[in-house]
Amino acid sequence: MGHTRWYFAFTVTALATAGLAVIHAKAPARLGSNSQGESFKFGGLRSFEIVPLETVSETSSNASIGDLNGDGNPDIVLVKGRHWQVTSRVFFGDGKGHFTPGPALPSKATKSYSASLADMTKSGHLDMVLSNDQPDPKLILLNDGKGNFSIGGTYGDPQWSTRNAAVGDLNGDGYPDIVVANREMTSYVCLNDGKLHFDCRPLEDSPSAATVAIADINGDGANDVIYACRDDCQSLVYFNDGKGNFTRKEPWGPPKSSTRAMAAGDFDGDGHLDVAACHEKLGCFVYLNDGKGNFGAGIQFQAPKALPYSMIAADLNHDHRPEIIVGYVEAPGVIYFNDGTGKKVSSNAVRRRQGRDLWHGGRRFEWRRMARCCGGAIRCAVLCDVQPAVPEMKAWGLRTLPDGHSLKAVPQG
Protein backbone atom coordinates (compact mmCIF):
# COMPACT_ATOMS: atom_id res chain seq x y z
CA MET A 1 0.00 0.00 0.00
CA GLY A 2 1.25 3.50 -0.69
CA HIS A 3 1.18 6.48 1.60
CA THR A 4 2.67 9.93 1.49
CA ARG A 5 6.39 10.08 2.09
CA TRP A 6 6.70 12.90 4.59
CA TYR A 7 9.86 14.93 5.09
CA PHE A 8 8.99 16.65 8.32
CA ALA A 9 8.05 15.79 11.86
CA PHE A 10 4.50 17.05 11.63
CA THR A 11 2.59 19.40 9.40
CA VAL A 12 -0.38 21.52 10.28
CA THR A 13 -2.49 22.05 7.23
CA ALA A 14 -4.75 25.07 7.39
CA LEU A 15 -5.93 27.72 5.04
CA ALA A 16 -7.01 31.32 4.92
CA THR A 17 -8.21 32.71 8.24
CA ALA A 18 -8.12 29.51 10.26
CA GLY A 19 -5.32 27.25 11.49
CA LEU A 20 -5.34 23.75 12.94
CA ALA A 21 -2.67 22.15 15.05
CA VAL A 22 -2.30 18.74 16.63
CA ILE A 23 0.81 17.96 18.66
CA HIS A 24 2.06 14.38 18.72
CA ALA A 25 3.85 14.35 22.05
CA LYS A 26 6.35 11.70 23.13
CA ALA A 27 3.96 10.41 25.78
CA PRO A 28 0.53 11.69 24.83
CA ALA A 29 -2.11 12.05 27.49
CA ARG A 30 -5.07 9.74 27.12
CA LEU A 31 -8.07 11.44 25.54
CA GLY A 32 -11.37 10.84 27.19
CA SER A 33 -12.99 10.25 30.56
CA ASN A 34 -11.94 6.61 30.82
CA SER A 35 -9.93 5.57 33.83
CA GLN A 36 -6.37 4.32 33.51
CA GLY A 37 -6.27 0.83 32.04
CA GLU A 38 -9.59 1.10 30.26
CA SER A 39 -9.70 0.96 26.50
CA PHE A 40 -10.97 3.92 24.55
CA LYS A 41 -14.75 4.15 24.48
CA PHE A 42 -16.33 5.76 21.45
CA GLY A 43 -18.43 8.73 22.57
CA GLY A 44 -16.46 9.35 25.78
CA LEU A 45 -15.33 12.77 27.01
CA ARG A 46 -12.39 14.36 25.21
CA SER A 47 -10.77 17.32 26.91
CA PHE A 48 -8.32 19.97 25.82
CA GLU A 49 -6.60 22.79 27.63
CA ILE A 50 -6.17 26.08 25.80
CA VAL A 51 -2.63 27.44 26.03
CA PRO A 52 -1.97 31.03 24.90
CA LEU A 53 1.03 31.38 22.60
CA GLU A 54 1.28 35.17 22.74
CA THR A 55 -0.61 38.20 24.02
CA VAL A 56 -0.52 40.44 20.96
CA SER A 57 -3.37 40.74 18.47
CA GLU A 58 -2.25 40.04 14.90
CA THR A 59 -3.60 38.18 11.88
CA SER A 60 -2.51 34.55 12.24
CA SER A 61 -3.16 32.30 9.26
CA ASN A 62 -1.61 28.91 9.98
CA ALA A 63 0.71 26.86 12.17
CA SER A 64 3.30 24.15 11.60
CA ILE A 65 4.84 21.80 14.15
CA GLY A 66 8.25 20.11 14.12
CA ASP A 67 11.53 19.92 16.04
CA LEU A 68 13.34 23.06 14.88
CA ASN A 69 16.17 23.28 17.42
CA GLY A 70 17.19 19.62 17.65
CA ASP A 71 16.19 19.01 21.27
CA GLY A 72 13.68 16.31 20.39
CA ASN A 73 10.64 18.38 21.37
CA PRO A 74 8.02 19.73 18.96
CA ASP A 75 8.19 23.45 18.24
CA ILE A 76 5.63 25.74 16.58
CA VAL A 77 5.79 28.10 13.63
CA LEU A 78 2.91 30.57 14.00
CA VAL A 79 2.29 31.89 10.49
CA LYS A 80 0.86 35.38 10.11
CA GLY A 81 -0.20 37.66 7.31
CA ARG A 82 -2.85 36.61 4.82
CA HIS A 83 -3.81 39.90 3.15
CA TRP A 84 -1.57 41.94 5.45
CA GLN A 85 2.18 42.02 5.92
CA VAL A 86 2.84 40.62 9.39
CA THR A 87 5.87 38.90 10.90
CA SER A 88 5.55 35.17 11.59
CA ARG A 89 6.92 33.72 14.83
CA VAL A 90 8.73 30.62 16.08
CA PHE A 91 8.03 29.14 19.53
CA PHE A 92 10.28 26.47 21.08
CA GLY A 93 8.59 23.71 23.06
CA ASP A 94 9.90 22.03 26.21
CA GLY A 95 7.99 18.80 25.59
CA LYS A 96 5.53 19.59 28.39
CA GLY A 97 3.23 21.93 26.51
CA HIS A 98 5.11 25.12 27.33
CA PHE A 99 6.42 27.37 24.56
CA THR A 100 8.88 30.27 24.53
CA PRO A 101 9.61 32.66 21.62
CA GLY A 102 12.47 31.66 19.34
CA PRO A 103 14.75 33.84 17.20
CA ALA A 104 13.18 36.33 14.82
CA LEU A 105 12.64 35.08 11.27
CA PRO A 106 14.52 36.81 8.43
CA SER A 107 11.38 36.87 6.30
CA LYS A 108 10.17 39.85 8.37
CA ALA A 109 6.66 41.12 7.57
CA THR A 110 5.06 39.21 4.69
CA LYS A 111 1.60 38.11 3.53
CA SER A 112 2.17 34.52 4.60
CA TYR A 113 -0.46 31.79 4.45
CA SER A 114 1.52 28.69 5.41
CA ALA A 115 4.98 27.49 6.44
CA SER A 116 5.58 23.86 5.49
CA LEU A 117 8.50 22.22 7.31
CA ALA A 118 10.80 19.93 5.36
CA ASP A 119 14.52 19.18 4.93
CA MET A 120 14.90 20.86 1.57
CA THR A 121 18.65 20.25 1.11
CA LYS A 122 19.27 16.97 3.03
CA SER A 123 21.03 18.88 5.79
CA GLY A 124 19.24 16.90 8.48
CA HIS A 125 17.32 19.97 9.66
CA LEU A 126 13.75 21.12 9.10
CA ASP A 127 13.65 24.11 6.79
CA MET A 128 10.63 26.34 6.14
CA VAL A 129 8.70 26.85 2.89
CA LEU A 130 6.66 30.07 3.15
CA SER A 131 3.67 30.53 0.85
CA ASN A 132 3.33 34.30 0.48
CA ASP A 133 0.67 36.23 -1.38
CA GLN A 134 1.58 38.75 -4.05
CA PRO A 135 3.69 40.85 -4.28
CA ASP A 136 5.86 39.14 -1.68
CA PRO A 137 8.40 36.54 -2.87
CA LYS A 138 7.80 32.90 -1.95
CA LEU A 139 10.66 32.12 0.43
CA ILE A 140 12.71 29.11 1.52
CA LEU A 141 14.18 29.63 5.00
CA LEU A 142 17.11 27.38 5.90
CA ASN A 143 17.57 26.08 9.43
CA ASP A 144 21.02 25.81 11.05
CA GLY A 145 19.72 23.00 13.27
CA LYS A 146 19.32 25.23 16.31
CA GLY A 147 16.23 27.05 15.12
CA ASN A 148 18.05 29.96 13.52
CA PHE A 149 16.79 30.60 9.99
CA SER A 150 18.28 32.39 6.99
CA ILE A 151 16.84 33.06 3.55
CA GLY A 152 18.07 30.25 1.28
CA GLY A 153 16.17 31.01 -1.89
CA THR A 154 12.83 31.60 -3.54
CA TYR A 155 10.44 29.64 -5.73
CA GLY A 156 7.76 30.57 -8.22
CA ASP A 157 6.69 34.08 -9.16
CA PRO A 158 6.18 36.88 -6.59
CA GLN A 159 3.05 37.91 -8.53
CA TRP A 160 1.32 34.59 -7.89
CA SER A 161 -1.69 34.92 -5.56
CA THR A 162 -0.42 32.01 -3.48
CA ARG A 163 -2.58 30.58 -0.71
CA ASN A 164 -0.77 27.39 0.26
CA ALA A 165 2.26 25.25 -0.55
CA ALA A 166 2.46 21.49 0.02
CA VAL A 167 5.83 19.74 0.17
CA GLY A 168 6.90 16.23 -0.85
CA ASP A 169 9.21 14.35 -3.23
CA LEU A 170 7.48 14.23 -6.62
CA ASN A 171 10.24 13.04 -8.95
CA GLY A 172 11.97 10.40 -6.82
CA ASP A 173 15.29 12.20 -6.33
CA GLY A 174 14.94 12.37 -2.56
CA TYR A 175 14.52 16.14 -2.39
CA PRO A 176 11.19 17.66 -1.35
CA ASP A 177 9.37 19.48 -4.14
CA ILE A 178 6.59 22.06 -3.81
CA VAL A 179 3.01 22.19 -5.05
CA VAL A 180 1.72 25.75 -5.05
CA ALA A 181 -2.00 26.56 -4.64
CA ASN A 182 -2.84 29.89 -6.30
CA ARG A 183 -6.14 31.73 -6.00
CA GLU A 184 -7.92 32.72 -9.24
CA MET A 185 -5.00 31.59 -11.37
CA THR A 186 -3.15 28.41 -12.34
CA SER A 187 -1.45 26.34 -9.64
CA TYR A 188 2.06 24.93 -10.12
CA VAL A 189 4.40 22.06 -9.33
CA CYS A 190 7.93 23.29 -8.53
CA LEU A 191 10.65 20.61 -8.70
CA ASN A 192 13.65 21.06 -6.41
CA ASP A 193 17.15 20.20 -7.74
CA GLY A 194 18.49 19.92 -4.19
CA LYS A 195 20.19 23.30 -4.41
CA LEU A 196 16.97 25.30 -4.06
CA HIS A 197 16.60 25.90 -7.79
CA PHE A 198 13.04 25.19 -8.82
CA ASP A 199 11.56 24.15 -12.16
CA CYS A 200 7.93 25.28 -11.92
CA ARG A 201 5.36 23.67 -14.21
CA PRO A 202 1.63 24.53 -14.43
CA LEU A 203 -1.04 22.06 -13.41
CA GLU A 204 -3.52 21.70 -16.26
CA ASP A 205 -7.12 22.78 -15.52
CA SER A 206 -6.35 24.36 -12.15
CA PRO A 207 -8.14 27.73 -12.30
CA SER A 208 -8.27 28.55 -8.58
CA ALA A 209 -7.11 26.90 -5.37
CA ALA A 210 -6.57 27.69 -1.72
CA THR A 211 -5.35 24.28 -0.60
CA VAL A 212 -3.49 21.31 -2.06
CA ALA A 213 -2.14 18.06 -0.62
CA ILE A 214 0.51 15.54 -1.62
CA ALA A 215 -0.24 11.83 -1.13
CA ASP A 216 0.13 8.49 -2.92
CA ILE A 217 -3.49 7.99 -3.92
CA ASN A 218 -3.19 4.96 -6.24
CA GLY A 219 -0.55 3.05 -4.24
CA ASP A 220 2.14 2.99 -6.92
CA GLY A 221 4.82 4.47 -4.66
CA ALA A 222 4.76 7.92 -6.29
CA ASN A 223 3.25 10.96 -4.61
CA ASP A 224 0.22 12.43 -6.35
CA VAL A 225 -1.33 15.89 -6.06
CA ILE A 226 -4.79 16.45 -4.56
CA TYR A 227 -6.14 19.73 -5.87
CA ALA A 228 -9.16 21.35 -4.20
CA CYS A 229 -10.98 23.94 -6.31
CA ARG A 230 -11.49 27.24 -4.50
CA ASP A 231 -14.00 29.01 -6.77
CA ASP A 232 -16.86 27.03 -8.36
CA CYS A 233 -14.87 24.46 -10.33
CA GLN A 234 -13.95 20.76 -10.31
CA SER A 235 -11.49 19.37 -7.76
CA LEU A 236 -8.95 16.89 -9.17
CA VAL A 237 -6.30 14.34 -8.35
CA TYR A 238 -3.22 14.62 -10.56
CA PHE A 239 -1.47 11.26 -10.87
CA ASN A 240 2.32 11.17 -10.90
CA ASP A 241 4.31 8.93 -13.24
CA GLY A 242 7.09 8.87 -10.64
CA LYS A 243 9.19 11.45 -12.47
CA GLY A 244 7.13 14.52 -11.62
CA ASN A 245 4.91 14.38 -14.71
CA PHE A 246 1.15 14.60 -14.22
CA THR A 247 -0.52 13.52 -17.44
CA ARG A 248 -3.52 11.77 -15.88
CA LYS A 249 -6.11 13.43 -13.69
CA GLU A 250 -9.38 12.29 -12.15
CA PRO A 251 -12.18 14.33 -10.59
CA TRP A 252 -13.38 14.11 -7.02
CA GLY A 253 -16.18 15.97 -5.31
CA PRO A 254 -18.94 18.06 -6.93
CA PRO A 255 -18.50 19.41 -10.49
CA LYS A 256 -18.61 22.92 -9.08
CA SER A 257 -17.58 23.67 -5.53
CA SER A 258 -15.64 26.18 -3.44
CA THR A 259 -13.28 24.37 -1.09
CA ARG A 260 -10.77 25.66 1.43
CA ALA A 261 -10.84 22.79 3.93
CA MET A 262 -9.41 19.46 2.73
CA ALA A 263 -7.31 16.58 4.12
CA ALA A 264 -6.21 13.08 3.13
CA GLY A 265 -6.38 9.99 5.34
CA ASP A 266 -7.42 6.34 5.39
CA PHE A 267 -10.86 6.86 6.89
CA ASP A 268 -12.30 3.39 6.29
CA GLY A 269 -9.22 1.34 7.14
CA ASP A 270 -8.81 -0.36 3.76
CA GLY A 271 -5.20 0.75 3.31
CA HIS A 272 -6.00 3.40 0.69
CA LEU A 273 -5.88 7.13 1.31
CA ASP A 274 -9.24 8.85 1.05
CA VAL A 275 -10.12 12.55 0.87
CA ALA A 276 -12.22 14.61 3.27
CA ALA A 277 -13.38 18.10 2.32
CA CYS A 278 -15.80 20.82 3.34
CA HIS A 279 -17.37 22.72 0.48
CA GLU A 280 -18.93 26.13 1.00
CA LYS A 281 -22.76 25.97 1.00
CA LEU A 282 -22.66 22.20 0.39
CA GLY A 283 -21.34 20.71 3.62
CA CYS A 284 -18.53 18.33 4.59
CA PHE A 285 -17.92 14.95 2.95
CA VAL A 286 -15.59 11.95 2.97
CA TYR A 287 -14.69 10.62 -0.51
CA LEU A 288 -13.61 6.99 -0.38
CA ASN A 289 -10.80 5.82 -2.65
CA ASP A 290 -11.09 2.40 -4.33
CA GLY A 291 -7.29 2.11 -4.37
CA LYS A 292 -6.97 3.16 -8.00
CA GLY A 293 -7.76 6.81 -7.46
CA ASN A 294 -11.47 6.61 -8.19
CA PHE A 295 -13.76 8.31 -5.69
CA GLY A 296 -17.41 7.85 -4.92
CA ALA A 297 -20.13 10.45 -4.49
CA GLY A 298 -19.10 11.19 -0.94
CA ILE A 299 -20.39 10.54 2.58
CA GLN A 300 -21.77 13.72 4.11
CA PHE A 301 -20.85 14.19 7.78
CA GLN A 302 -21.81 17.84 8.24
CA ALA A 303 -24.64 19.89 6.77
CA PRO A 304 -23.78 23.33 5.37
CA LYS A 305 -23.97 25.67 8.36
CA ALA A 306 -20.91 27.61 9.45
CA LEU A 307 -18.34 28.57 6.81
CA PRO A 308 -15.49 25.99 6.76
CA TYR A 309 -11.95 27.35 6.46
CA SER A 310 -9.51 24.61 7.40
CA MET A 311 -9.15 20.90 8.07
CA ILE A 312 -6.66 18.33 9.26
CA ALA A 313 -6.87 14.55 9.73
CA ALA A 314 -5.13 12.99 12.73
CA ASP A 315 -5.61 10.10 15.15
CA LEU A 316 -6.48 11.89 18.40
CA ASN A 317 -7.51 8.93 20.54
CA HIS A 318 -4.86 6.35 19.54
CA ASP A 319 -7.32 3.91 17.96
CA HIS A 320 -5.47 3.99 14.60
CA ARG A 321 -8.40 5.76 12.92
CA PRO A 322 -7.95 9.36 11.75
CA GLU A 323 -10.33 11.93 13.12
CA ILE A 324 -11.33 15.00 11.13
CA ILE A 325 -10.79 18.42 12.71
CA VAL A 326 -12.51 21.34 10.96
CA GLY A 327 -12.03 25.06 11.60
CA TYR A 328 -15.00 27.32 10.91
CA VAL A 329 -15.46 31.08 10.55
CA GLU A 330 -17.08 32.74 13.56
CA ALA A 331 -18.07 29.36 14.99
CA PRO A 332 -16.40 26.77 17.21
CA GLY A 333 -14.05 24.32 15.58
CA VAL A 334 -15.33 20.75 15.52
CA ILE A 335 -13.65 17.37 15.93
CA TYR A 336 -15.37 14.49 14.14
CA PHE A 337 -14.40 11.19 15.78
CA ASN A 338 -14.28 8.28 13.39
CA ASP A 339 -15.48 4.82 14.43
CA GLY A 340 -13.67 3.29 11.43
CA THR A 341 -16.45 0.86 10.47
CA GLY A 342 -15.96 1.18 6.71
CA LYS A 343 -19.48 -0.15 6.01
CA LYS A 344 -21.08 0.18 2.62
CA VAL A 345 -22.11 3.69 1.72
CA SER A 346 -25.84 4.18 1.17
CA SER A 347 -27.93 7.12 0.07
CA ASN A 348 -29.40 7.59 3.54
CA ALA A 349 -29.57 11.22 4.63
CA VAL A 350 -27.36 12.42 7.44
CA ARG A 351 -29.22 12.26 10.73
CA ARG A 352 -28.31 12.88 14.33
CA ARG A 353 -28.35 9.85 16.61
CA GLN A 354 -27.63 9.51 20.33
CA GLY A 355 -27.27 13.22 20.95
CA ARG A 356 -24.48 14.45 18.74
CA ASP A 357 -23.34 11.49 16.71
CA LEU A 358 -23.65 11.82 12.93
CA TRP A 359 -24.52 8.78 10.83
CA HIS A 360 -24.50 8.19 7.12
CA GLY A 361 -24.59 4.84 5.35
CA GLY A 362 -23.52 2.91 8.45
CA ARG A 363 -20.46 5.05 9.10
CA ARG A 364 -20.43 7.21 12.18
CA PHE A 365 -18.58 10.43 12.90
CA GLU A 366 -19.14 11.80 16.37
CA TRP A 367 -18.63 15.52 16.75
CA ARG A 368 -17.49 17.56 19.71
CA ARG A 369 -17.39 21.33 19.66
CA MET A 370 -14.22 22.98 20.86
CA ALA A 371 -14.89 25.66 23.48
CA ARG A 372 -15.16 29.24 22.32
CA CYS A 373 -12.21 31.37 23.33
CA CYS A 374 -11.35 35.06 23.10
CA GLY A 375 -14.83 36.10 24.12
CA GLY A 376 -16.63 33.63 21.85
CA ALA A 377 -14.83 34.48 18.61
CA ILE A 378 -12.93 31.26 17.90
CA ARG A 379 -12.60 30.46 14.20
CA CYS A 380 -10.81 27.15 14.32
CA ALA A 381 -10.12 24.11 16.41
CA VAL A 382 -6.80 25.25 17.75
CA LEU A 383 -5.80 28.77 16.81
CA CYS A 384 -8.13 31.72 16.92
CA ASP A 385 -8.19 33.89 13.84
CA VAL A 386 -6.54 37.04 15.09
CA GLN A 387 -7.88 40.14 13.39
CA PRO A 388 -6.16 43.50 14.16
CA ALA A 389 -9.56 45.14 14.55
CA VAL A 390 -10.42 42.92 17.54
CA PRO A 391 -7.72 43.58 20.17
CA GLU A 392 -9.07 41.09 22.72
CA MET A 393 -8.39 38.15 20.37
CA LYS A 394 -5.16 36.23 20.72
CA ALA A 395 -3.51 33.09 19.36
CA TRP A 396 -4.07 29.91 21.30
CA GLY A 397 -2.95 26.30 21.30
CA LEU A 398 -4.79 23.27 22.65
CA ARG A 399 -3.28 20.42 24.59
CA THR A 400 -4.83 17.32 26.10
CA LEU A 401 -5.70 17.14 29.79
CA PRO A 402 -5.70 14.13 32.12
CA ASP A 403 -8.86 12.04 32.19
CA GLY A 404 -11.98 13.71 33.52
CA HIS A 405 -10.81 17.31 33.16
CA SER A 406 -12.74 19.81 31.07
CA LEU A 407 -11.74 22.37 28.49
CA LYS A 408 -10.68 25.66 30.01
CA ALA A 409 -9.50 28.97 28.64
CA VAL A 410 -7.56 31.52 30.65
CA PRO A 411 -6.96 34.73 28.65
CA GLN A 412 -3.73 36.55 29.40
CA GLY A 413 -2.77 40.19 28.82
Side-chain angles (χ1 to χ4, degrees):
M1 89 186 67
H3 290 276
T4 306
R5 290 174 283 175
W6 301 108
Y7 286 82
F8 41 89
F10 192 82
T11 287
V12 179
T13 305
L15 284 251
T17 61
L20 299 175
V22 179
I23 297 177
H24 286 187
K26 292 181 179 178
R30 180 187 299 271
L31 294 177
S33 59
N34 308 309
S35 62
Q36 296 294 332
E38 290 186 45
S39 61
F40 168 77
K41 179 180 179 181
F42 189 82
L45 175 67
R46 286 91 173 177
S47 301
F48 297 83
E49 178 186 2
I50 298 177
V51 180
L53 294 178
E54 55 181 6
T55 58
V56 299
S57 175
E58 294 177 326
T59 310
S60 58
S61 57
N62 210 321
S64 293
I65 297 175
D67 182 10
L68 302 178
N69 57 2
D71 64 355
N73 299 317
D75 308 308
I76 296 175
V77 181
L78 180 60
V79 187
K80 302 182 183 183
R82 294 185 64 241
H83 303 298
W84 304 273
Q85 291 178 323
V86 186
T87 302
S88 297
R89 299 286 305 278
V90 168
F91 295 88
F92 291 146
D94 64 358
K96 300 178 181 179
H98 306 119
F99 296 89
T100 56
L105 293 174
S107 51
K108 299 183 179 179
T110 54
K111 297 180 179 180
S112 298
Y113 274 84
S114 66
S116 296
L117 300 179
D119 184 359
M120 300 299 290
T121 61
K122 296 185 181 180
S123 66
H125 313 308
L126 290 178
D127 306 310
M128 193 181 304
V129 178
L130 286 175
S131 62
N132 297 334
D133 194 8
Q134 60 183 349
D136 295 336
K138 294 84 172 79
L139 297 174
I140 308 292
L141 304 185
L142 295 180
N143 185 0
D144 68 354
K146 299 180 180 180
N148 301 300
F149 289 86
S150 61
I151 297 177
T154 63
Y155 64 94
D157 187 333
Q159 296 307 313
W160 288 351
S161 53
T162 299
R163 294 295 185 267
N164 191 266
V167 179
D169 183 11
L170 298 175
N171 57 1
D173 65 356
Y175 291 102
D177 307 301
I178 304 172
V179 180
V180 187
N182 293 326
R183 177 82 187 275
E184 296 181 335
M185 63 180 299
T186 299
S187 294
Y188 284 80
V189 169
C190 295
L191 301 179
N192 176 15
D193 68 355
K195 299 179 181 179
L196 301 183
H197 303 133
F198 293 91
D199 175 17
C200 294
R201 307 171 182 178
L203 283 172
E204 184 182 12
D205 297 327
S206 60
S208 184
T211 182
V212 290
I214 296 175
D216 182 5
I217 293 298
N218 58 358
D220 64 355
N223 280 326
D224 308 306
V225 174
I226 309 170
Y227 169 89
C229 172
R230 173 63 182 86
D231 295 290
D232 294 320
C233 52
Q234 177 69 66
S235 296
L236 299 165
V237 173
Y238 293 86
F239 292 95
N240 188 357
D241 67 356
K243 299 179 181 180
N245 301 306
F246 299 88
T247 57
R248 175 195 166 202
K249 59 183 183 295
E250 296 291 341
W252 64 271
K256 288 187 177 182
S257 65
S258 298
T259 306
R260 300 177 187 177
M262 182 266 288
D266 183 5
F267 299 112
D268 59 358
D270 66 352
H272 307 304
L273 291 175
D274 311 304
V275 176
C278 292
H279 314 294
E280 294 180 11
K281 301 180 181 180
L282 297 176
C284 299
F285 297 79
V286 169
Y287 299 96
L288 297 179
N289 176 11
D290 67 357
K292 299 179 181 179
N294 301 307
F295 295 89
I299 305 165
Q300 187 171 20
F301 63 89
Q302 176 62 59
K305 293 182 179 180
L307 180 64
Y309 258 64
S310 59
M311 179 187 291
I312 193 170
D315 179 9
L316 298 184
N317 51 24
H318 311 296
D319 64 353
H320 308 292
R321 303 162 183 164
E323 276 66 60
I324 300 173
I325 308 107
V326 181
Y328 294 94
V329 178
E330 297 179 352
V334 177
I335 299 175
Y336 300 89
F337 283 87
N338 178 11
D339 75 350
T341 58
K343 295 181 180 178
K344 183 178 179 180
V345 178
S346 73
S347 59
N348 296 337
V350 176
R351 62 188 186 277
R352 293 177 185 267
R353 290 269 308 267
Q354 299 176 354
R356 295 192 173 187
D357 289 351
L358 295 175
W359 289 71
H360 185 282
R363 183 173 290 100
R364 179 172 64 174
F365 287 90
E366 178 204 9
W367 69 282
R368 293 280 189 236
R369 287 184 180 273
M370 307 301 293
R372 292 176 179 267
C373 69
C374 314
I378 192 169
R379 284 198 176 191
C380 54
V382 176
L383 296 177
C384 285
D385 176 36
V386 189
Q387 297 287 354
V390 188
E392 67 271 20
M393 295 178 67
K394 303 174 181 67
W396 302 78
L398 293 182
R399 65 185 180 191
T400 58
L401 288 176
D403 294 345
H405 288 67
S406 61
L407 185 76
K408 61 181 180 180
V410 184
Q412 294 185 358

